[in-house]
Amino acid sequence: MIDFKIKIGKMLWKNPVTVASGTFGLEFGELFDISQLGAIVTKTVTLHPKQGNAPPRIAETEAGLLNSIGLQNPGIENFIKTDLHEYRIIDTNLIVSISADSISQFGEVIQELERQSGIDGYEINVSCPNVESEGIIFGTDNKTVFKLVSMIKKTTERTVIVKLTPNLTSIENIARVAENAGADAISLINTVYGMAIDIETRKPKIKNVIAGYSGIGIKPIALQNVFRVAKVVKIPIIGMGGIRNTNDALEFIIAGATAVAVGTQNFVNPLSTLDIIQGLKKYLDEKKVQYKDLINSVNF
Amino acid sequence: MFYKVLPIVEKEVINNKYFIITFTNFEMAEQSCPGQFFKLKGLEQEFPILPRPFSVFKKEDSKLSFLIKVVGTATKNLSQLKIEERVALLGPLGNGFQIHNGKKVLIVSGGIGYAPLNFLRDGLNKADNEITFFHGGKNANDVFSKNIRIYTEDGSIGEKGLVTDGVEEFLSQNQIDVVYTCGPENMLRKVKEICEGFKTKLYMSMETVMACGIGSCCGCAIKVEENGKPVYKKVCKDGPVFDGYKIV
């Protein structure tokens, strides 16, 4: 029997596979039993409803996908009234992804969610490339991240995961800051800045011009970020960025990720998370290796 | 909604721009209604990454057919698949056309917009509607049926001109209750303009770039009027069929 259980903060996961925020929803429950996932990460919710960015919001490029959704969501109040009821009865860990324009607004969102049962953790999205707060992405500033994570840790007993952007000169610094502020885990990477142009019209293919790039094209970028961060923090890493199959997932685990998340691939094959869970089991069985010994096991 | 890998059971090449592929699956066919769509991608085809959305063109018992126009790499890849080669299908997706009973109906299609309307015609027939079908294309290659009123821009078949040229005249001479349309953006805009004058019901099937196809990612948003205000709706889940007068 393969032992797959992992601990992320206070959460016990039955397997190390989850989904990247924004690429998954309750709709997938019509296609498979989503309680089979180690955890479910919701689409990011914000204090007030967000209409999202003007379309076109997505464009496929040579080796990946550009998106600029702009965190379209119904706001925390509607989320609690609708989706949360369905999510909380699913028999796996529920991680609510949250974003806000300011530290105090993050606090308000958390306070609302603290009154609700059935939530196991929060993913603090300080890294969306498509919404900006006062001109900068939250997650690129060490002091802001420290203040924010410290505040959230004081407000909740639940597991706090900080999602980092790769659009930085040193991801190690910000990861260490998040750990020092008390983060229970780190998830990385959010999308990479990207752009595409239609040469006939000379218009950007995404209305918002600069977008977030995801999919197989960013896998090497994501992998080296996981590898670097794993060297400098002790808290677990949820690795993501271009994972399509078991082999991709294994690379992230070997590079230092305790868990992996599937994003863009959910749009290609909505059952790919299940394939990866099975594939990892098979790999561990065939290689006669313990899962915990596989994490952060790069041979030089 | 199902996700299944199925072999192509029939393939018909119409000309160098269009082809039809057919699959057999009882559950998928049973659930499919006119206006709904599937996401399709050849199993062995890695790039482009995203499966592309295609409306159901025809349903016969357990058989589902898709009329596909070759426009880019994804559709070219699909066009090169042979019978028995496998395709991943996700669907049926979205909301189909609302079908009323015993109405006088006009269908207006442009180019590949013919696909969902062909399936719709079968549904409308079953509900005792009196149907008139107008179809337009650039030339004879864009025409898929001869038993309807045809317009081509070069006049190579049917009447020379735009399909919308005939719509206004037809609506002024006939009492029509419902108009169904699908096609290029300019055509849709013109159809809406014309129909407004005649106060018909108007159902429009919309096309956008799409990622998840099931309502999770919000990538396929378009602006639609709701309670007097413009809001973003998902083409994949709230559509692809919308009240044509509400499209902003």
Side-chain angles (χ1 to χ4, degrees):
Chain A
M1 187 64 193
I2 302 295
D3 185 16
F4 237 11
K5 289 187 207 67
I6 55 160
K7 263 194 94 176
I8 302 284
K10 295 187 183 71
M11 293 183 283
L12 189 67
W13 291 21
K14 62 191 111 177
N15 63 61
V17 179
T18 187
V19 288
S21 176
T23 67
F24 196 82
L26 288 162
E27 296 83 5
F28 283 76
E30 292 175 44
L31 294 163
F32 71 98
D33 173 9
I34 57 179
S35 74
Q36 293 175 82
L37 298 170
I40 292 170
V41 184
T42 68
K43 191 163 166 51
T44 298
V45 285
T46 53
L47 185 60
H48 304 296
K50 256 185 166 4
Q51 256 220 318
N53 293 335
R57 294 176 174 183
I58 48 176
E60 187 165 347
T61 66
E62 296 76 7
L65 183 66
L66 291 171
N67 89 79
S68 182
I69 310 293
L71 299 183
Q72 179 177 345
N73 80 95
I76 193 71
E77 210 183 304
N78 288 317
F79 170 77
I80 289 168
K81 275 191 223 156
T82 56
D83 282 14
L84 182 59
H85 289 301
E86 290 183 56
Y87 273 125
R88 64 157 64 102
I89 57 171
I90 299 164
D91 185 21
T92 189
N93 295 290
L94 177 64
I95 300 166
V96 179
S97 168
I98 57 178
S99 181
D101 296 333
S102 63
I103 292 181
S104 65
Q105 226 182 56
F106 264 107
E108 284 180 68
V109 177
I110 300 257
Q111 271 170 16
E112 289 291 326
L113 291 169
E114 282 294 291
R115 294 193 205 114
Q116 303 299 321
S117 63
I119 299 168
D120 300 287
Y122 302 117
E123 184 176 77
I124 312 303
N125 180 3
V126 289
S127 48
C128 179
N130 300 320
V131 285
E132 289 189 349
S133 170
E134 288 160 12
I136 57 152
I137 290 181
F138 239 97
T140 56
D141 185 66
N142 289 354
K143 277 184 197 153
T144 314
V145 168
F146 188 85
K147 252 170 85 180
L148 174 65
V149 176
S150 309
M151 181 276 291
I152 291 171
K153 281 296 288 180
K154 280 185 205 125
T155 333
T156 183
E157 294 289 312
R158 291 172 175 159
T159 299
V160 174
I161 303 161
V162 180
K163 184 160 183 180
L164 299 182
T165 173
N167 302 319
L168 291 163
T169 43
S170 167
I171 197 165
E172 292 102 315
N173 278 345
I174 208 105
R176 263 192 300 240
V177 167
E179 182 180 42
N180 290 339
D184 298 294
I186 279 168
S187 57
L188 70 143
I189 59 175
N190 208 321
T191 51
V192 180
Y193 280 134
M195 184 176 176
I197 296 169
D198 181 321
I199 57 162
E200 297 302 324
T201 60
R202 298 191 208 170
K203 282 186 178 171
K205 288 188 180 174
I206 299 282
K207 183 79 178 173
N208 211 28
V209 186
I210 307 289
Y213 182 38
S214 68
I216 184 60
I218 69 164
K219 199 185 98 183
I221 300 170
L223 198 64
Q224 59 90 23
N225 275 308
V226 167
F227 176 73
R228 280 165 189 256
V229 171
K231 278 186 167 171
V232 299
V233 299
K234 292 193 179 66
I235 52 177
I237 296 167
I238 304 168
M240 67 197 77
I243 295 176
R244 302 160 304 171
N245 51 37
T246 305
N247 289 2
D248 293 338
L250 282 165
E251 279 193 76
F252 277 80
I253 295 158
I254 294 165
T258 298
V260 290
V262 176
T264 303
Q265 183 68 16
N266 290 321
F267 306 150
V268 182
N269 173 359
L271 310 184
S272 50
T273 43
L274 293 187
D275 294 345
I276 292 171
I277 294 168
Q278 291 312 317
L280 290 177
K281 275 186 190 160
K282 196 168 162 236
Y283 178 89
L284 295 176
D285 193 34
E286 280 172 11
K287 301 278 177 193
K288 304 265 174 284
V289 57
Q290 296 286 314
Y291 185 71
K292 63 174 171 38
D293 297 330
L294 195 64
I295 301 166
N296 206 351
S297 65
V298 180
N299 283 324
F300 297 99
Chain B
M1 159 168 73
F2 304 94
Y3 178 78
K4 288 177 195 285
V5 175
L6 300 174
I8 295 173
V9 293
E10 286 167 29
K11 183 180 176 185
E12 183 191 341
V13 178
I14 297 174
N15 52 49
N16 60 2
K17 257 163 85 183
Y18 297 96
F19 63 100
I20 299 168
I21 44 175
T22 301
F23 303 91
T24 305
N25 186 268
F26 176 74
E27 289 173 307
M28 283 176 157
E30 193 192 27
Q31 285 199 6
S32 296
C33 301
Q36 288 191 297
F37 67 97
F38 283 70
K39 288 205 309 175
L40 265 57
K41 184 179 173 181
L43 199 65
E44 311 300 330
Q45 295 167 340
E46 193 145 13
F47 296 101
I49 294 169
L50 294 176
R52 298 300 197 255
F54 302 100
S55 294
V56 177
F57 169 68
K58 198 163 75 181
K59 172 170 117 171
E60 266 177 7
D61 305 320
S62 292
K63 277 187 186 171
L64 278 175
S65 301
F66 301 90
L67 169 68
I68 296 172
K69 180 183 183 183
V70 179
V71 288
T73 316
T75 44
K76 192 175 170 207
N77 286 344
L78 282 169
S79 77
Q80 287 165 348
L81 294 175
K82 300 179 188 78
I83 286 177
E84 285 184 9
E85 285 195 275
R86 293 186 302 162
V87 175
L89 289 89
L90 176 68
L93 303 171
N95 287 321
F97 291 104
Q98 198 171 334
I99 294 176
H100 304 275
N101 281 298
K103 298 284 181 197
K104 286 194 167 131
V105 165
L106 173 66
I107 298 176
V108 184
S109 71
I112 189 62
Y114 181 78
L117 299 172
N118 178 67
F119 183 24
L120 172 70
R121 177 171 43 187
D122 298 341
L124 290 172
N125 272 328
K126 282 179 198 147
D128 297 322
N129 289 283
E130 193 186 314
I131 306 163
T132 307
F133 203 136
F134 279 35
H135 176 76
K138 281 204 165 23
N139 55 50
N141 275 344
D142 301 315
V143 174
F144 315 101
S145 169
K146 293 201 170 78
N147 305 323
I148 53 178
R149 191 124 153 225
I150 306 292
Y151 289 81
T152 50
E153 286 176 35
D154 69 354
S156 53
I157 185 170
E159 288 183 48
K160 188 171 177 184
L162 298 172
V163 66
T164 45
D165 297 344
V167 171
E168 185 146 25
E169 191 193 337
F170 183 79
L171 286 178
S172 62
Q173 290 166 3
N174 297 274
Q175 182 64 40
I176 293 296
D177 305 307
V178 191
V179 176
Y180 295 93
T181 188
C182 183
E185 215 179 300
N186 289 341
M187 186 201 93
L188 296 180
R189 204 172 293 128
K190 186 76 188 164
V191 170
K192 179 183 164 187
E193 252 176 60
I194 297 168
C195 287
E196 266 164 346
F198 295 96
K199 302 203 164 38
T200 65
K201 278 189 187 300
L202 175 62
Y203 295 106
M204 228 177 234
S205 180
M206 305 301 288
E207 190 182 20
T208 57
V209 179
M210 202 173 271
C212 77
I214 62 176
S216 296
C217 76
C218 303
C220 62
I222 59 163
K223 229 170 212 174
V224 176
E225 195 188 298
E226 193 179 62
N227 306 322
K229 279 191 305 194
V231 294
Y232 287 122
K233 291 278 177 192
K234 301 164 191 171
V235 170
C236 74
K237 199 179 178 185
D238 302 319
V241 179
F242 291 91
D243 176 344
Y245 297 123
K246 303 281 186 199
I247 306 288
V248 180

